[in-house]
Each structure stands twice: as C-alpha cells, then as structure tokens.
Amino acid sequence: MSEIEIIKAFAGLKDPRRRARQRHNLPLSLALFTLAIAAGNKGFLAIGDWISSYREPLIDLFQPPKNRLPSYSTVRRALLHVDYEDYSVCLSKFFNVQPNTGETVGLDGKVLKGS
C-alpha cells in the first residue's frame, strides 16, 4: 500500500481483530471511514455506496493489496473493535486539532450526529 498520510496516521493503532481470514488492514479501513464521513456520508450503507462509487480512484490512491477495498461491513466490524480514544487521538494529530486546556470534546453519538 502506498505511503499516504492518513494511512500513516492510523498505522500505530493496535488491531484487536483476529488475524485469521483478515483481508484488509485496520489503517485502510479507518482511513476510508474517516474520508467517507468527511465527505458527508451518514451510516454504513452510505459509506459502502461511497466506497463503491469511488472504487477506482480509491484503489489508485491507496493501492491496496490485490486492488481490493473493504466493504462497509468490514469497515463496521473494524470500528466495533477499535479503541475510540486511540482513534480520536490519531485523528486529532492528523488534523492537527488539540483541545484547549479545560475544554471537553463530546464524542457521543448525539453530539456527532450530523458532523
């Protein structure tokens, strides 16, 4: 896979998934999820549609092994097992966003709805 900053941003995350039958690495799944959400997609089916719609450009960009991208269900399963605090730390470093002292960052679904 090519060296892209968003992939490198998630490269240090521990992958809690079982190694058996694992086709897609965690950084790729998280990068696609992050980009799909940033593009305005809400929900895993919309994310899957976005991945399908931009399949060729995404393959050209990320150059995944065997030219395969994860499906929305693979992205969903990866997110179910990822440590959200670690993900948010990687994301804040990638976007260079640090909360101010005393500032809290809401990470629950109600706050993130529509973001």
Side-chain angles (χ1 to χ4, degrees), residues 2 16 38 89 96:
S2 62
V89 167
N96 198 23

Side-chain angles (χ1 to χ4, degrees), residues 1-2 4-13 15 17 22-36 47 50-51 55 57-71 74-76 78-79 87:
M1 199 160 35
S2 62
I4 297 177
E5 289 302 315
I6 196 163
I7 295 289
K8 288 196 265 183
F10 300 119
L13 280 178
D15 192 346
R17 300 173 300 162
Q22 199 180 93
R23 286 186 185 164
H24 305 286
N25 67 30
L26 185 63
L28 176 60
S29 295
L30 294 177
L32 290 172
F33 169 75
T34 303
L35 293 173
I47 291 169
W50 182 82
I51 291 171
R55 182 181 182 281
L58 290 170
I59 287 173
D60 290 343
L61 178 65
F62 290 110
Q63 300 173 1
K66 298 183 182 179
N67 289 329
R68 288 196 253 177
L69 295 172
S71 66
T74 300
V75 172
R76 181 185 154 280
L79 285 168
Y87 171 78

Side-chain angles (χ1 to χ4, degrees), residues 1 13 18 28 31-33 37 41-42 46-47 55 60 66 78 80 82 85 93 95 97 102 104 110-111:
M1 199 160 35
L13 280 178
R18 292 184 324 197
L28 176 60
L32 290 172
F33 169 75
I37 293 296
N41 296 285
K42 298 177 184 177
I47 291 169
R55 182 181 182 281
D60 290 343
K66 298 183 182 179
L80 286 173
V82 76
E85 288 181 16
K93 285 180 184 177
F95 285 112
V97 175
T104 59
K110 291 176 187 171
V111 172

